[in-house]
């Protein structure tokens, strides 16, 4: 397997710049997930790595070798698409072995490679079937098998699980990650599904409008999002936000005043916040506590707007002023629409962002 180095990569289609200075270093044997909203340039970047799209600026290197001018066949990569792109007139075995056959490998070698991949993917009993005789998940496996058989220097995936139902998706993401580990592969995986990104990646690259917002491990991005975009993109339900400012209370202590809450909140220990600084406060739905009358400091008074019971969790939609927040509790919360509710924010889990720059403070 091989490392992939993407340096200052730019892509323009005519006058439109869709990628603007992308730097990513995919280490050997790393599983990198490119994630971001529709149209941010994920597929374009992946296709540029694959050689299916020309590179307008910067450089892509695979295994230390510049490949800008190298055709897709010579890059030694295998790509798995959302559409599977199987040949309908070939059996699963023929689809999987086709690339080796094209390379004029001996029939025995092709058969062995196909059987080995089929064993790994639990496809042995299905090798003689045509794609139309396979379920979506099985077709997806054949597409994976075709990639494995090539023994490429890296795997590129573009939303390979989008066509599957939720249960199969959850199953396949574990399978793909296990295969990656077992094969000692290097993988670049594109998705807009933040759960896939969080659960599969060694490191996530969050993209937005042709640029990189942040690169880091799933936990780094979840715990310390670098800006408002990343904070709002990762995590479900999505992070709650409210505008506010740093104020000095009667005792001379710096506190946070939220725009719509009359009470102030303790300032988390971020170091250098000045009185008057305008901030956006972010709070994950899982980090808000519902408290009783006995708790006074740092409490927000809100009203319950809606309740969702998922069985395991309770989601409460609450409002204070014109702000609506979601709270997620692992307890069965007994509340009704219209109830008054008191919320406590754990200062250690408050995220603060600069209102102007939207960067983490
Ligand atoms: N051949 C092309 N000509 C012109 N513009 C293109 C072309 N291919 C892609 N684009 C534009 O480039 C941008 C990035 O597209 P891309 O397919 O990489 O997005 P994406 O992040 O993969 O989105 P999605 O999640 O919807 O698949 C989009 O604005 C798209 O319209
Ligand atoms: Mg895409």
């Amino acid at each position: 397997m091989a490392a992939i180095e993407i340096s200052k990569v730019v892509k323009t289609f005519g006058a439109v710049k869709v990628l603007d200075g992308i730097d990513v270093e995919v280490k050997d044997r790393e599983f990198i997930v490119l994630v971001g909203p529709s149209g941010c340039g994920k597929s374009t970047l992946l296709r540029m790595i694959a050689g299916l799209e020309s590179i307008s600026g910067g450089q892509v290197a695979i295994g230390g070798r510049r490949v800008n001018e190298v055709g897709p066949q010579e890059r030694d990569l295998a790509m798995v698409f959302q559409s599977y792109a199987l040949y309908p007139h070939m059996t699963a075995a023929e689809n999987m072995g086709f690339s080796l056959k094209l390379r004029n490998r001996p029939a025995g070698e092709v058969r062995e490679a196909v059987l080995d991949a089929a064993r790994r993917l639990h496809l042995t009993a299905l090798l003689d079937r045509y794609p139309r005789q396979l379920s979506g998940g099985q077709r997806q496996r054949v597409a994976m098998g075709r990639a494995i058989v090539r023994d490429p220097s890296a795997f590129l995936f573009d939303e390979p699980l989008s066509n599957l139902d939720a249960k199969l998706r959850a199953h396949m993401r574990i399978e793909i990650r296990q295969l990656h580990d077992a094969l000692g592969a290097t993988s670049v995986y594109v998705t807009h599904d933040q759960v896939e990104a969080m659960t599969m990646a060694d490191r996530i690259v969050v993209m937005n409008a042709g640029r990189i917002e942040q690169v880091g491990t799933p936990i780094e991005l979840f715990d310390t999002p670098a800006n408002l975009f990343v904070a709002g993109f990762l995590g479900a339900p999505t992070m709650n936000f409210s505008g506010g400012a740093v104020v000095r209370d009667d005792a001379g202590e710096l506190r946070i005043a939220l725009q719509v809450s009359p009470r102030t909140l303790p300032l988390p220990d971020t170091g250098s916040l000045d009185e008057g600084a305008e901030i956006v406060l972010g709070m994950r739905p899982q980090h808000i506590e519902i408290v009783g009358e006995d708790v006074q400091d740092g409490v927000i008074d809100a009203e319950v707007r809606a309740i969702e019971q998922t069985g395991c969790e309770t989601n409460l939609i609450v409002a204070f002023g014109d702000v609506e927040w979601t709270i997620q509790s692992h307890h069965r919360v007994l509340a009704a629409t219209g109830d008054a509710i008191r919320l406590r924010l754990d200062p250690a889990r408050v995220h603060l962002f600069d209102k102007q720059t939207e960067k983490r403070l």
Side-chain angles (χ1 to χ4, degrees), residues 213-239:
E213 296 279 355
Q214 192 174 4
V215 182
T217 66
I219 292 301
E220 278 165 7
L221 267 51
F222 189 83
D223 287 350
T224 52
N227 53 46
L228 275 181
F229 181 85
V230 177
F233 193 79
L234 294 176
T238 179
M239 189 185 277

Side-chain angles (χ1 to χ4, degrees), residues 13 16 18 36-45 53 158-159 190 192:
F13 287 112
V16 186
V18 298
S38 185
C40 71
K42 306 177 294 292
S43 295
T44 303
L45 181 57
E53 206 72 77
D158 196 351
E159 313 233 13
V190 164
H192 60 259

Side-chain angles (χ1 to χ4, degrees), residues 185-349:
T186 303
S187 301
V188 182
Y189 186 106
V190 164
T191 182
H192 60 259
D193 181 328
Q194 51 112 0
V195 178
E196 274 173 34
M198 288 296 293
T199 54
M200 297 178 82
D202 290 319
R203 286 188 305 150
I204 299 174
V205 177
V206 181
M207 295 175 62
N208 180 28
R211 290 171 180 274
I212 291 179
E213 296 279 355
Q214 192 174 4
V215 182
T217 66
I219 292 301
E220 278 165 7
L221 267 51
F222 189 83
D223 287 350
T224 52
N227 53 46
L228 275 181
F229 181 85
V230 177
F233 193 79
L234 294 176
T238 179
M239 189 185 277
N240 299 298
F241 296 108
S242 168
V246 178
V247 295
R248 200 173 289 281
D249 69 4
D250 297 339
E253 205 181 318
L254 289 178
R255 311 256 304 172
I256 296 171
L258 292 186
Q259 260 158 21
V260 292
S261 170
R263 297 176 201 254
T264 62
L265 312 171
L267 192 65
D269 185 18
T270 59
S272 59
L273 271 173
D274 297 326
E275 188 180 354
E278 289 194 83
I279 54 113
V280 175
L281 175 143
M283 203 69 213
R284 295 221 180 264
Q286 299 83 2
H287 297 159
I288 302 168
E289 203 186 343
I290 300 165
V291 295
E293 290 292 335
D294 51 317
V295 184
Q296 284 301 324
D297 189 38
V299 168
I300 297 173
D301 291 297
E303 183 190 304
V304 176
R305 286 279 167 84
I307 303 154
E308 295 175 335
Q309 296 283 4
T310 69
C312 291
E313 291 128 4
T314 308
N315 293 333
L316 293 179
I317 317 302
V318 304
F320 51 100
D322 57 359
V323 177
E324 260 194 14
W325 276 13
T326 303
I327 302 170
Q328 188 171 69
S329 170
H330 292 289
H331 302 289
R332 295 268 160 94
V333 180
L334 299 174
T337 305
D339 279 0
I341 194 165
R342 310 181 81 237
L343 314 175
R344 184 183 166 275
L345 312 187
D346 178 353
R349 309 191 104 156

